[in-house]
Amino acid sequence: MSGNWHGCSWNSPLADTLVADFDVIDFLHLLTERCVDLLGVDSAGILLTDQQGQLRLVAASTEQTRLLELFQLQSDQGPCLDCFTTGQPVASADLAADIQRWPIFAAAARRSGFASVHALPMRLRDHTIGTLNLFSTTAGNLDEGTTDLGQAFADVATIGILSERAARERNLLSQQLQIALNTRVIIEQAKGTLAERRGLSMDQAFTTLRDYARTNNRKLADVALAVIDNDPSVAELAHPRHTPQHR
């Protein structure tokens, strides 16, 4: 079997990972559809490992394939699971001939109308994070060029997942940095307020804020905000008997 991919932009799914509103699940579904369009197979599915090391279905080009992939996971046998375990491509050019190898899965796949399956690993360095699974209604092996292109799709899927994770982590880092910057502004304002009220130096004002927060088991930012807002809960900070400590 071989894919008719001339004139088609097989790398368009990768470009989708660069947009600001990148949706990884939609991307993976699109990738399974592109596999069908360009590889000459009849259906495709993607399985990914979760944090416990268990495979989960994340995308399938058809409902029929989705159900078969779920059945494969439930029965705990099939080329896709073997591919994930070994980190190597696993092919069944003729499921009828492999009925002894995967008796439950092969029978279910044949009932679904499939005659062959090719599973390709999604690898991150030495770790396999999932598999791209190609299903055909006719028996036969994929030729070398189609297999290479299929592996390229599996690699694109991996890149897309990593891009989404990196973007999420960058966004989290950006939020954390902004929170830190905003918090510092609040603390500086509180230092100025306390220094003016108590006749303290800025260093003394900061030490007073910090010591009060520690003593009362409160966050420094919360105490600083309370000082700015004249919150009664920190009224004692402005009391003359409160003696500042030098750092």
Side-chain angles (χ1 to χ4, degrees):
M1 291 180 288
S2 62
N4 179 18
W5 52 278
H6 295 290
C8 295
S9 179
W10 73 269
N11 63 336
S12 61
L14 182 57
D16 292 340
T17 68
L18 303 178
V19 300
D21 58 346
F22 172 58
D23 183 332
V24 66
I25 298 301
D26 183 61
F27 160 75
L28 294 175
H29 277 282
L30 176 62
L31 192 141
T32 62
E33 294 171 354
R34 290 290 184 271
C35 286
V36 173
D37 293 340
L38 304 178
L39 300 181
V41 297
D42 296 290
S43 190
I46 293 177
L47 303 177
L48 289 180
T49 182
D50 60 16
Q51 294 181 342
Q52 286 73 45
Q54 300 297 314
L55 281 177
R56 297 287 184 265
L57 174 68
V58 293
S61 59
T62 66
E63 176 66 13
Q64 183 183 41
T65 305
R66 185 186 75 84
L67 295 175
L68 180 59
E69 292 277 45
L70 289 174
F71 181 81
Q72 180 176 198
L73 294 175
Q74 291 170 356
S75 62
D76 196 29
Q77 68 170 235
C80 309
L81 276 74
D82 289 356
C83 175
F84 176 72
T85 301
T86 64
Q88 299 297 320
V90 175
S92 175
D94 186 354
L95 284 167
D98 285 329
I99 195 69
Q100 298 299 321
R101 187 177 183 185
W102 306 295
I104 299 175
F105 169 79
R110 293 182 66 200
R111 286 196 300 270
S112 296
F114 296 117
S116 60
V117 181
H118 294 75
L120 302 171
M122 295 169 57
R123 289 187 291 253
L124 174 59
R125 300 183 182 91
D126 296 330
H127 300 284
T128 303
I129 66 170
T131 63
L132 170 63
N133 313 308
L134 308 174
F135 300 85
S136 298
T137 57
T138 57
N141 278 311
L142 299 177
D143 62 37
E144 183 177 356
T146 303
T147 300
D148 289 345
L149 187 55
Q151 187 60 60
F153 269 112
D155 296 340
V156 166
T158 303
I159 292 171
I161 293 165
L162 296 180
S163 296
E164 192 272 342
R165 185 178 71 179
R168 186 172 64 249
E169 291 176 349
R170 284 196 301 270
N171 184 56
L172 177 60
L173 176 60
S174 177
Q175 291 176 2
Q176 291 173 331
L177 290 174
Q178 191 59 50
I179 289 172
L181 292 172
N182 293 343
T183 299
R184 191 64 201 179
V185 169
I186 292 172
I187 292 173
E188 291 299 321
Q189 291 176 348
K191 283 167 54 180
T193 299
L194 193 59
E196 181 180 2
R197 291 177 184 173
R198 295 284 307 276
L200 304 174
S201 70
M202 294 296 281
D203 284 343
Q204 290 173 328
F206 176 76
T207 300
T208 301
L209 283 170
R210 185 183 61 186
D211 289 350
Y212 182 87
R214 290 177 176 177
T215 300
N216 291 274
N217 196 29
R218 296 180 61 179
K219 292 183 179 179
L220 181 59
D222 293 341
V223 173
L225 188 60
V227 169
I228 295 171
D229 293 340
N230 292 313
D231 192 309
S233 68
V234 295
E236 63 184 285
L237 273 177
H239 197 282
R241 288 180 298 179
H242 187 90
T243 303
Q245 300 177 17
H246 295 277
R247 285 190 296 177

